[in-house]
Short mmCIF file of all heavy atoms in Angstrom, two decimals:
data_model
loop_
_atom_site.label_atom_id
_atom_site.label_comp_id
_atom_site.label_asym_id
_atom_site.label_seq_id
_atom_site.Cartn_x
_atom_site.Cartn_y
_atom_site.Cartn_z
N HIS A 39 8.60 0.70 10.45
CA HIS A 39 8.30 -0.35 11.28
C HIS A 39 9.59 -1.27 11.48
O HIS A 39 10.33 -1.57 10.47
CB HIS A 39 7.18 -1.25 10.70
CG HIS A 39 6.55 -2.22 11.69
ND1 HIS A 39 7.28 -3.41 12.11
CD2 HIS A 39 5.50 -2.25 12.53
CE1 HIS A 39 6.57 -4.06 12.93
NE2 HIS A 39 5.46 -3.30 13.22
N ILE A 54 2.45 -4.15 -3.40
CA ILE A 54 3.53 -3.69 -2.61
C ILE A 54 4.33 -5.07 -2.30
O ILE A 54 3.71 -5.97 -1.81
CB ILE A 54 3.03 -3.18 -1.21
CG1 ILE A 54 2.20 -1.91 -1.53
CG2 ILE A 54 4.27 -2.88 -0.34
CD1 ILE A 54 1.60 -1.34 -0.27
N ASN A 60 10.69 -11.85 10.92
CA ASN A 60 9.85 -12.42 12.09
C ASN A 60 8.45 -12.25 11.79
O ASN A 60 7.64 -12.31 12.68
CB ASN A 60 10.13 -11.78 13.48
CG ASN A 60 11.65 -11.93 13.78
OD1 ASN A 60 12.25 -13.04 13.50
ND2 ASN A 60 12.28 -10.94 14.29
N LYS A 79 -5.89 6.39 4.28
CA LYS A 79 -6.97 5.67 3.41
C LYS A 79 -6.54 4.63 2.56
O LYS A 79 -7.12 4.37 1.54
CB LYS A 79 -7.83 6.74 2.77
CG LYS A 79 -8.45 7.80 3.62
CD LYS A 79 -9.39 7.24 4.63
CE LYS A 79 -9.98 8.39 5.32
NZ LYS A 79 -10.25 8.20 6.77
N TYR A 80 -5.27 4.09 2.75
CA TYR A 80 -4.73 2.90 1.92
C TYR A 80 -5.21 1.68 2.59
O TYR A 80 -5.08 1.59 3.83
CB TYR A 80 -3.25 2.98 1.82
CG TYR A 80 -2.78 4.25 1.17
CD1 TYR A 80 -1.92 5.10 1.79
CD2 TYR A 80 -3.12 4.67 -0.04
CE1 TYR A 80 -1.38 6.30 1.29
CE2 TYR A 80 -2.70 5.80 -0.71
CZ TYR A 80 -1.79 6.65 0.07
OH TYR A 80 -1.29 7.75 -0.49
N ASP A 93 -11.46 3.43 -7.93
CA ASP A 93 -10.78 4.20 -8.92
C ASP A 93 -11.41 5.43 -9.23
O ASP A 93 -10.70 6.53 -9.35
CB ASP A 93 -10.48 3.39 -10.25
CG ASP A 93 -9.49 2.18 -10.07
OD1 ASP A 93 -8.81 2.14 -9.10
OD2 ASP A 93 -9.57 1.29 -10.89
#
Side-chain angles (χ1 to χ4, degrees):
H39 192 282
I54 300 179
N60 304 318
K79 308 296 186 217
Y80 302 119
D93 288 344

